[in-house]
Amino acid sequence: MKRLMIAACLALSACTTGPADPPPPPVDVAEAYTLAIVDPRRPTVEVARDPLRRPRDMLEFIGLQPGQRIADIRPEEGYFTRLFAPVVGPEGRVYAFVPTLTAAREQGFAEGLAADYGNVTPVIGLLDEMSFPEPLDVVFMGQEYHDFHIDRFDVDVAEMNRRVFAALRPGGLYVILDHSGLPGTGNTEVESLHRIEGDFLRREVEAAGFVFEGETRVLANPDDSRTISVFDESIRGRTDQFVYRFRRPE
């Protein structure tokens, strides 16, 4: 009887303490960036913009990881959304947030992105009331922040930034790309030139509780006088641009 009990215990041990499943292979983030950039779903017209938009540098600065949750605020045609979706992968999520004011034109873009990428979710709403169904790792705003200071958008920008803060998990990132205005211009040229002073934007975002982490100058252009509209054909697509990264404190 004793020998039978020992045998039973050994058999049970073999069932419950056998070799564990091997751990999943580490994610090669650099490869994820490469695959996103060469993804055949990207329209040719957007790929042609890569030399000026520097997608790999942008992804590296954001530090986007597979499995993360990111909101792309006013993605329009989706240049950055189409990069974010393959990087975060099937375990991640990209929220394509379309402001209510521009939804008539841009909601279709977001729905098209959702059709192309199963991990993209369109969200329509007011910028100063924005919310998401789960905590986010990153909120990204590409060349749009200045627009939200234009009167017709009717946005409380301070409240918008507070909403972004609330949407992020502790330690989450708020990354803003925009066209540079001259020092001292603040937000006075957001409608006439579609530019905003970097220091002015930084003060606004920090007032919402964010900590400034740094910037990248990969989209800087010292030959831009910063005195003409970003739509002027002499500078269009080649403006001096800043990219700031802010963190919600832990």
Side-chain angles (χ1 to χ4, degrees):
M1 177 64 71
K2 185 175 181 180
R3 285 196 297 270
L4 288 174
M5 291 178 63
I6 293 173
C9 288
L10 290 173
L12 180 61
S13 176
C15 292
T16 58
T17 61
D21 292 334
V27 174
D28 187 332
V29 177
E31 182 180 8
Y33 293 169
T34 297
L35 292 175
I37 293 167
V38 302
D39 191 311
R41 290 171 291 184
R42 297 185 67 213
T44 302
V45 66
E46 293 188 0
V47 174
R49 301 166 72 185
D50 286 354
L52 294 175
R53 289 220 156 179
R54 306 285 290 273
R56 176 173 289 277
D57 291 313
M58 289 295 294
L59 289 169
E60 289 176 351
F61 181 71
I62 296 169
L64 194 62
Q65 303 283 319
Q68 288 190 324
R69 274 67 178 153
I70 180 171
D72 190 356
I73 308 300
R74 199 184 178 197
E76 300 204 26
E77 291 86 352
Y79 177 92
F80 284 105
T81 302
R82 291 181 182 276
L83 294 168
F84 298 155
V87 172
V88 300
E91 301 302 316
R93 177 65 48 185
V94 182
Y95 292 98
F97 186 94
V98 179
T100 302
L101 180 68
T102 59
R105 182 177 74 90
E106 297 167 8
Q107 182 175 352
F109 296 154
E111 291 172 349
L113 291 166
D116 289 344
Y117 302 87
N119 60 352
V120 172
T121 298
V123 179
I124 313 298
L126 298 174
L127 289 154
D128 45 17
E129 295 181 5
M130 77 170 83
S131 64
F132 300 90
E134 58 184 331
L136 304 178
D137 297 288
V138 183
V139 172
F140 176 78
M141 200 174 287
Q143 299 178 337
E144 301 294 342
Y145 188 101
H146 72 273
D147 274 342
F148 304 146
H149 269 287
I150 297 175
D151 288 343
R152 69 183 179 87
F153 272 90
D154 192 26
V155 176
D156 181 338
V157 174
E159 180 60 24
M160 178 187 76
N161 288 332
R162 288 192 289 268
R163 290 281 178 159
V164 171
F165 188 95
L168 287 164
R169 63 168 177 78
L173 300 176
Y174 187 13
V175 181
I176 303 174
L177 154 69
D178 219 324
H179 304 283
S180 301
L182 287 171
T185 55
N187 65 342
T188 62
E189 298 175 337
V190 293
E191 187 165 14
S192 58
L193 304 184
H194 286 266
R195 298 175 182 270
I196 190 166
E197 180 194 8
D199 286 348
F200 175 88
L201 182 151
R202 176 177 169 177
R203 290 192 297 271
E204 283 197 326
V205 175
E206 289 177 326
F210 286 97
V211 174
F212 180 70
E213 261 202 350
E215 65 175 306
T216 178
R217 298 290 292 164
V218 297
L219 296 179
N221 178 9
D223 295 328
D224 177 12
S225 69
R226 295 182 282 172
T227 60
I228 57 177
S229 168
V230 302
F231 299 113
D232 189 297
E233 289 303 322
S234 67
I235 200 64
R236 188 167 189 169
R238 298 178 294 103
T239 57
D240 184 70
Q241 297 169 64
F242 58 85
V243 191
Y244 290 168
R245 187 176 65 222
F246 302 87
R247 183 178 295 276
R248 172 176 170 167
E250 297 281 356

XYZ file of all heavy atoms in Angstrom, residues 69-144:
586
model
N -1.132 50.847 -25.859
C -2.330 51.580 -26.263
C -1.929 53.011 -26.559
O -1.319 53.672 -25.712
C -3.379 51.578 -25.147
C -4.311 50.369 -25.129
C -3.627 49.092 -24.807
N -4.609 47.992 -24.763
C -4.310 46.738 -25.019
N -3.076 46.387 -25.348
N -5.236 45.795 -24.966
N -2.267 53.493 -27.761
C -1.898 54.841 -28.171
C -3.098 55.516 -28.816
O -3.871 54.878 -29.520
C -0.693 54.822 -29.139
C -0.298 56.248 -29.571
C -0.957 53.939 -30.355
C 1.006 56.315 -30.352
N -3.257 56.810 -28.549
C -4.273 57.609 -29.227
C -3.574 58.552 -30.197
O -2.619 59.234 -29.833
C -5.099 58.408 -28.222
N -4.049 58.562 -31.443
C -3.563 59.484 -32.460
C -4.648 60.546 -32.608
O -5.743 60.261 -33.108
C -3.331 58.730 -33.772
C -2.600 59.560 -34.811
O -2.330 60.743 -34.552
O -2.291 59.017 -35.899
N -4.350 61.766 -32.132
C -5.357 62.821 -32.081
C -5.440 63.547 -33.418
O -4.467 64.092 -33.907
C -5.042 63.834 -30.960
C -4.818 63.109 -29.623
C -6.162 64.861 -30.853
C -6.002 62.295 -29.141
N -6.623 63.512 -34.011
C -6.903 64.022 -35.342
C -5.911 63.453 -36.366
O -5.085 64.171 -36.926
C -6.890 65.553 -35.377
C -7.623 66.084 -36.609
C -7.551 67.592 -36.749
N -8.229 67.990 -37.976
C -8.067 69.191 -38.560
N -7.282 70.094 -38.018
N -8.710 69.466 -39.684
N -6.022 62.175 -36.652
C -5.064 61.530 -37.561
C -5.243 61.910 -39.017
O -4.379 61.605 -39.839
C -5.351 60.040 -37.350
C -6.766 59.978 -36.907
C -6.981 61.223 -36.084
N -6.370 62.531 -39.372
C -6.688 62.855 -40.759
C -6.537 61.605 -41.623
O -7.116 60.572 -41.335
C -5.874 64.050 -41.228
C -6.140 65.297 -40.380
C -5.861 66.603 -41.071
O -5.924 66.663 -42.318
O -5.592 67.584 -40.351
N -5.707 61.658 -42.688
C -5.603 60.499 -43.585
C -4.885 59.311 -42.946
O -4.919 58.203 -43.480
C -4.895 60.878 -44.886
C -5.697 61.805 -45.792
C -5.506 63.264 -45.431
O -4.872 63.548 -44.388
O -6.003 64.130 -46.185
N -4.193 59.539 -41.835
C -3.650 58.413 -41.081
C -2.196 58.076 -41.296
O -1.793 56.930 -41.071
N -1.374 59.059 -41.667
C 0.045 58.756 -41.886
C 0.653 58.054 -40.680
O 1.287 56.995 -40.806
C 0.823 60.044 -42.199
C 2.311 59.808 -42.369
C 2.859 59.558 -43.615
C 3.188 59.833 -41.270
C 4.214 59.328 -43.778
C 4.539 59.596 -41.418
C 5.048 59.348 -42.671
O 6.402 59.096 -42.817
N 0.483 58.627 -39.497
C 1.103 58.029 -38.311
C 0.313 56.832 -37.795
O 0.901 55.870 -37.295
C 1.284 59.087 -37.221
C 2.429 60.016 -37.483
C 2.199 61.311 -37.924
C 3.743 59.590 -37.318
C 3.267 62.167 -38.187
C 4.811 60.438 -37.572
C 4.573 61.732 -38.017
N -1.011 56.868 -37.916
C -1.808 55.717 -37.480
C -1.354 54.454 -38.191
O -1.274 53.375 -37.587
C -3.300 55.962 -37.763
O -3.717 57.149 -37.104
C -4.145 54.798 -37.255
N -1.041 54.564 -39.480
C -0.619 53.399 -40.268
C 0.763 52.888 -39.845
O 1.130 51.752 -40.172
C -0.625 53.739 -41.756
C -2.024 53.954 -42.323
C -1.987 54.261 -43.807
N -3.327 54.512 -44.329
C -4.182 53.572 -44.714
N -3.807 52.292 -44.626
N -5.373 53.883 -45.170
N 1.513 53.686 -39.149
C 2.782 53.228 -38.572
C 2.554 52.640 -37.189
O 3.139 51.607 -36.831
C 3.764 54.395 -38.486
C 4.240 54.982 -39.819
C 4.969 56.296 -39.579
C 5.151 54.002 -40.561
N 1.707 53.284 -36.415
C 1.473 52.832 -35.038
C 0.815 51.457 -34.988
O 1.176 50.618 -34.155
C 0.584 53.836 -34.287
C 1.155 55.216 -34.145
C 0.319 56.317 -33.974
C 2.526 55.442 -34.177
C 0.834 57.595 -33.826
C 3.052 56.721 -34.041
C 2.198 57.800 -33.861
N -0.163 51.221 -35.863
C -0.951 49.987 -35.773
C -0.103 48.720 -35.913
O -0.238 47.794 -35.093
C -2.082 50.009 -36.799
N 0.790 48.617 -36.899
C 1.610 47.405 -36.975
C 2.586 47.271 -35.810
O 2.911 46.149 -35.402
C 2.364 47.565 -38.304
C 1.572 48.550 -39.091
C 0.996 49.475 -38.073
N 3.058 48.400 -35.268
C 4.020 48.314 -34.161
C 3.352 47.773 -32.904
O 3.868 46.855 -32.260
C 4.667 49.691 -33.868
C 5.510 49.617 -32.594
C 5.552 50.111 -35.036
N 2.196 48.305 -32.522
C 1.555 47.823 -31.298
C 0.997 46.422 -31.486
O 0.848 45.665 -30.522
C 0.466 48.789 -30.795
C 1.053 50.155 -30.502
C -0.703 48.891 -31.763
N 0.688 46.051 -32.727
C 0.319 44.677 -33.040
C -1.049 44.268 -32.524
O -1.811 45.082 -31.988
N -1.366 42.989 -32.668
C -2.708 42.501 -32.311
C -3.040 42.608 -30.835
O -4.211 42.617 -30.467
C -2.697 41.039 -32.780
C -1.248 40.665 -32.842
C -0.532 41.912 -33.242
N -2.028 42.676 -29.980
C -2.283 42.821 -28.542
C -2.405 44.277 -28.132
O -2.734 44.579 -26.977
C -1.159 42.157 -27.739
C -0.973 40.675 -28.032
C -2.241 39.885 -27.765
O -2.883 40.125 -26.719
O -2.596 39.026 -28.598
N -2.134 45.193 -29.050
C -2.220 46.614 -28.744
C -3.454 47.242 -29.355
O -4.320 46.571 -29.928
N -3.551 48.554 -29.244
C -4.721 49.259 -29.735
C -4.334 50.682 -30.106
O -3.557 51.328 -29.410
C -5.808 49.292 -28.654
C -7.080 50.048 -28.985
C -7.886 49.437 -30.106
N -8.100 48.005 -29.973
C -8.697 47.248 -30.888
N -9.133 47.803 -32.004
N -8.859 45.943 -30.694
N -4.856 51.165 -31.256
C -4.692 52.556 -31.666
C -6.073 53.190 -31.717
O -6.967 52.703 -32.422
C -4.026 52.675 -33.051
C -3.828 54.151 -33.413
C -2.699 51.941 -33.094
N -6.254 54.263 -30.960
C -7.504 55.015 -30.984
C -7.319 56.214 -31.914
O -6.503 57.093 -31.648
C -7.895 55.462 -29.581
C -8.270 54.310 -28.685
C -7.343 53.761 -27.792
C -9.535 53.729 -28.756
C -7.680 52.682 -26.986
C -9.882 52.655 -27.959
C -8.960 52.132 -27.072
O -9.285 51.052 -26.282
N -8.068 56.216 -33.019
C -8.018 57.325 -33.973
C -9.082 58.332 -33.560
O -10.270 58.151 -33.853
C -8.263 56.811 -35.383
N -8.646 59.393 -32.854
C -9.589 60.359 -32.279
C -9.835 61.495 -33.268
O -8.922 62.254 -33.615
C -9.052 60.917 -30.965
C -10.045 61.796 -30.253
C -10.878 61.265 -29.275
C -10.177 63.142 -30.569
C -11.818 62.067 -28.628
C -11.100 63.950 -29.934
C -11.927 63.403 -28.953
N -11.087 61.617 -33.700
C -11.482 62.655 -34.655
C -12.307 63.712 -33.926
O -13.345 63.388 -33.326
C -12.318 62.053 -35.804
C -12.749 63.150 -36.776
C -11.523 60.967 -36.521
N -11.882 64.978 -33.949
C -12.675 66.023 -33.289
C -14.054 66.152 -33.931
O -14.209 66.017 -35.152
C -11.845 67.288 -33.517
C -10.452 66.800 -33.774
C -10.619 65.496 -34.487
N -15.057 66.425 -33.120
C -16.424 66.554 -33.614
C -16.523 67.568 -34.747
O -17.230 67.344 -35.741
C -17.357 66.970 -32.458
O -17.272 65.986 -31.415
C -18.794 67.091 -32.920
N -15.796 68.674 -34.622
C -15.882 69.740 -35.624
C -15.492 69.261 -37.014
O -16.061 69.699 -38.018
C -14.996 70.923 -35.206
C -14.991 72.115 -36.169
C -16.356 72.797 -36.176
C -13.897 73.111 -35.800
N -14.518 68.366 -37.113
C -14.023 67.928 -38.425
C -14.506 66.526 -38.800
O -14.052 65.958 -39.787
C -12.483 67.943 -38.435
O -11.988 67.076 -37.398
C -11.941 69.340 -38.220
N -15.438 65.989 -38.019
C -15.861 64.599 -38.238
C -16.534 64.390 -39.590
O -16.406 63.320 -40.195
C -16.796 64.155 -37.119
N -17.266 65.393 -40.092
C -17.956 65.218 -41.368
C -16.977 64.849 -42.479
O -17.288 64.045 -43.358
C -18.719 66.494 -41.726
N -15.784 65.424 -42.422
C -14.773 65.133 -43.446
C -13.863 63.980 -43.052
O -13.455 63.183 -43.906
C -13.917 66.379 -43.712
C -12.859 66.181 -44.794
C -12.101 67.457 -45.050
N -11.178 67.772 -43.992
C -9.896 67.357 -43.974
N -9.421 66.598 -44.932
N -9.111 67.712 -42.984
N -13.555 63.860 -41.758
C -12.483 62.955 -41.344
C -12.942 61.639 -40.723
O -12.136 60.730 -40.563
C -11.552 63.706 -40.378
C -10.877 64.888 -41.046
C -10.208 65.844 -40.067
O -10.127 65.510 -38.862
O -9.785 66.924 -40.497
N -14.219 61.519 -40.390
C -14.681 60.259 -39.817
C -14.473 59.105 -40.797
O -14.108 57.995 -40.408
C -16.162 60.356 -39.427
C -16.697 59.079 -38.780
C -18.129 59.234 -38.292
O -18.681 60.327 -38.293
N -18.732 58.135 -37.884
N -14.690 59.386 -42.074
C -14.487 58.353 -43.088
C -13.055 57.875 -43.139
O -12.795 56.678 -43.369
N -12.097 58.789 -42.930
C -10.689 58.381 -42.889
C -10.464 57.381 -41.755
O -9.811 56.352 -41.926
C -9.778 59.594 -42.673
C -9.795 60.617 -43.777
C -9.491 61.946 -43.506
C -10.117 60.271 -45.075
C -9.490 62.902 -44.506
C -10.125 61.219 -46.100
C -9.817 62.537 -45.803
N -11.000 57.714 -40.569
C -10.802 56.852 -39.403
C -11.447 55.486 -39.610
O -10.883 54.449 -39.229
C -11.360 57.526 -38.153
N -12.619 55.482 -40.217
C -13.291 54.209 -40.467
C -12.505 53.373 -41.488
O -12.454 52.143 -41.385
C -14.717 54.462 -40.935
C -15.606 55.035 -39.830
C -16.965 55.474 -40.327
O -17.155 55.527 -41.573
O -17.839 55.781 -39.485
N -11.900 54.043 -42.456
C -11.061 53.326 -43.417
C -9.836 52.718 -42.758
O -9.440 51.589 -43.084
N -9.244 53.443 -41.818
C -8.099 52.913 -41.080
C -8.501 51.688 -40.271
O -7.772 50.693 -40.208
C -7.525 53.993 -40.161
C -6.844 55.173 -40.850
C -6.632 56.328 -39.869
C -5.508 54.746 -41.454
N -9.689 51.749 -39.646
C -10.172 50.612 -38.866
C -10.414 49.396 -39.760
O -10.208 48.252 -39.335
C -11.452 50.996 -38.127
N -10.842 49.640 -41.001
C -11.064 48.534 -41.929
C -9.754 47.888 -42.354
O -9.690 46.669 -42.565
C -11.839 49.033 -43.152
N -8.711 48.702 -42.471
C -7.400 48.185 -42.898
C -6.630 47.534 -41.763
O -5.806 46.645 -42.001
C -6.558 49.321 -43.489
C -7.076 49.790 -44.837
O -7.882 49.053 -45.455
O -6.686 50.893 -45.273
N -6.860 48.003 -40.538
C -6.104 47.518 -39.381
C -7.097 47.124 -38.289
O -7.816 47.968 -37.756
C -5.159 48.597 -38.853
C -4.164 49.094 -39.884
C -4.502 50.138 -40.748
C -2.900 48.520 -40.004
C -3.595 50.597 -41.701
C -1.992 48.973 -40.955
C -2.347 50.005 -41.793
O -1.460 50.453 -42.743
N -7.089 45.863 -37.936
C -8.052 45.370 -36.956
C -7.881 45.917 -35.563
O -8.776 45.769 -34.725
N -6.748 46.567 -35.282
C -6.506 47.097 -33.937
C -6.678 48.618 -33.863
O -6.227 49.240 -32.905
C -5.112 46.701 -33.441
C -3.992 47.231 -34.338
O -4.251 47.777 -35.416
N -2.758 47.046 -33.905
N -7.327 49.210 -34.870
C -7.613 50.648 -34.865
C -9.086 50.860 -34.531
O -9.966 50.249 -35.149
C -7.273 51.300 -36.216
C -7.761 52.753 -36.254
C -5.773 51.252 -36.476
N -9.342 51.730 -33.562
C -10.708 52.044 -33.151
C -10.963 53.539 -33.336
O -10.287 54.360 -32.709
C -10.935 51.680 -31.668
O -10.762 50.273 -31.501
C -12.339 52.075 -31.222
N -11.917 53.926 -34.183
C -12.248 55.349 -34.315
C -12.979 55.856 -33.069
O -13.792 55.143 -32.478
C -13.183 55.389 -35.524
C -12.976 54.090 -36.237
C -12.630 53.104 -35.163
N -12.675 57.085 -32.679
C -13.374 57.750 -31.575
C -13.713 59.155 -32.057
O -12.837 59.872 -32.546
C -12.505 57.829 -30.303
C -13.251 58.547 -29.187
C -12.072 56.437 -29.848
N -14.967 59.549 -31.941
C -15.410 60.882 -32.322
C -15.805 61.631 -31.054
O -16.530 61.089 -30.207
C -16.635 60.828 -33.269
C -16.426 59.807 -34.393
C -16.936 62.217 -33.831
C -15.279 60.106 -35.310
N -15.333 62.856 -30.888
C -15.705 63.574 -29.680
C -15.119 64.969 -29.625
O -14.389 65.410 -30.521
N -15.443 65.665 -28.562
C -14.916 67.001 -28.309
C -13.537 66.874 -27.672
O -13.332 66.056 -26.766
C -15.849 67.781 -27.386
C -17.270 68.036 -27.924
C -18.127 68.691 -26.846
C -17.219 68.912 -29.174
N -12.612 67.694 -28.117
C -11.235 67.603 -27.629
C -11.132 67.874 -26.142
O -10.318 67.238 -25.443
C -10.356 68.576 -28.401
C -10.090 68.172 -29.856
C -9.784 69.396 -30.703
C -8.955 67.165 -29.930
N -11.928 68.808 -25.640
C -11.835 69.132 -24.223
C -12.781 68.286 -23.370
O -13.014 68.579 -22.198
C -12.048 70.627 -23.956
C -13.220 71.209 -24.716
O -14.061 70.411 -25.200
O -13.305 72.445 -24.826
N -13.324 67.205 -23.996
C -14.098 66.223 -23.250
C -13.610 64.804 -23.570
O -14.299 63.834 -23.249
C -15.594 66.350 -23.580
C -16.213 67.662 -23.140
C -17.703 67.743 -23.448
O -18.262 66.734 -23.927
O -18.293 68.824 -23.218
N -12.466 64.687 -24.207
C -12.029 63.377 -24.700
C -11.783 62.388 -23.563
O -11.329 62.751 -22.469
C -10.777 63.518 -25.566
C -9.485 63.733 -24.830
S -8.046 63.589 -25.925
C -7.976 65.218 -26.647
N -12.134 61.147 -23.852
C -11.865 60.057 -22.918
C -11.753 58.777 -23.728
O -12.179 58.716 -24.891
C -12.962 59.936 -21.855
O -14.196 59.601 -22.469
N -11.191 57.751 -23.113
C -10.962 56.480 -23.794
C -11.357 55.343 -22.855
O -11.375 55.522 -21.630
C -9.489 56.367 -24.210
C -9.069 57.472 -25.140
C -8.549 58.665 -24.643
C -9.232 57.342 -26.501
C -8.184 59.703 -25.504
C -8.873 58.371 -27.370
C -8.353 59.555 -26.863
N -11.667 54.170 -23.405
C -12.176 53.089 -22.561
C -11.136 52.387 -21.712
O -11.476 51.512 -20.918
C -12.788 52.110 -23.584
C -12.055 52.383 -24.847
C -11.745 53.849 -24.838
N -9.873 52.745 -21.852
C -8.812 52.118 -21.070
C -7.654 53.095 -20.938
O -7.513 54.020 -21.734
C -8.337 50.826 -21.739
C -7.817 51.028 -23.155
C -7.449 49.729 -23.836
O -7.067 48.769 -23.148
O -7.524 49.670 -25.086
N -6.796 52.917 -19.933
C -5.633 53.802 -19.798
C -4.698 53.658 -20.998
O -4.504 52.559 -21.529
C -4.965 53.302 -18.511
C -6.031 52.567 -17.774
C -6.900 51.953 -18.824
N -4.129 54.766 -21.410
C -3.251 54.793 -22.577
C -1.787 54.862 -22.163
O -1.441 55.400 -21.105
C -3.584 55.999 -23.448
C -5.027 56.122 -23.940
C -5.195 57.401 -24.753
C -5.437 54.902 -24.764
N -0.941 54.331 -23.038
C 0.510 54.442 -22.846
C 1.060 55.700 -23.499
O 2.042 56.278 -23.018
C 1.211 53.213 -23.433
C 0.800 51.932 -22.738
O 1.216 51.728 -21.594
O 0.041 51.143 -23.341
N 0.432 56.104 -24.605
C 0.913 57.265 -25.373
C -0.281 58.007 -25.956
O -1.251 57.395 -26.417
C 1.843 56.833 -26.539
C 2.383 58.067 -27.278
C 2.992 55.957 -26.051
N -0.195 59.334 -25.951
C -1.085 60.187 -26.745
C -0.188 60.962 -27.692
O 0.777 61.599 -27.265
C -1.911 61.138 -25.867
C -2.673 62.143 -26.740
C -2.890 60.356 -25.000
N -0.515 60.904 -28.979
C 0.295 61.566 -30.010
C -0.551 62.604 -30.735
O -1.718 62.360 -31.046
C 0.817 60.551 -31.024
C 1.582 61.167 -32.162
C 2.904 61.572 -31.987
C 0.984 61.354 -33.399
C 3.611 62.157 -33.034
C 1.688 61.935 -34.450
C 3.006 62.332 -34.269
N 0.078 63.747 -31.011
C -0.597 64.816 -31.727
C 0.377 65.348 -32.780
O 1.400 65.950 -32.432
C -1.009 65.907 -30.739
C -2.106 66.832 -31.217
S -2.630 67.968 -29.891
C -3.541 66.868 -28.815
N 0.081 65.107 -34.043
C 1.001 65.473 -35.116
C 0.538 66.663 -35.931
O -0.440 66.556 -36.689
N 1.179 67.798 -35.766
C 0.910 69.029 -36.515
C -0.524 69.525 -36.327
O -1.080 70.166 -37.213
C 1.194 68.814 -38.013
C 2.623 68.457 -38.312
C 2.867 68.204 -39.787
O 1.936 67.872 -40.531
N 4.100 68.341 -40.239
N -1.103 69.260 -35.173
C -2.495 69.626 -34.936
C -2.688 70.546 -33.736
O -3.680 71.276 -33.669
C -3.344 68.359 -34.721
C -3.328 67.390 -35.879
C -3.990 67.928 -37.145
O -4.755 68.911 -37.046
O -3.729 67.380 -38.222
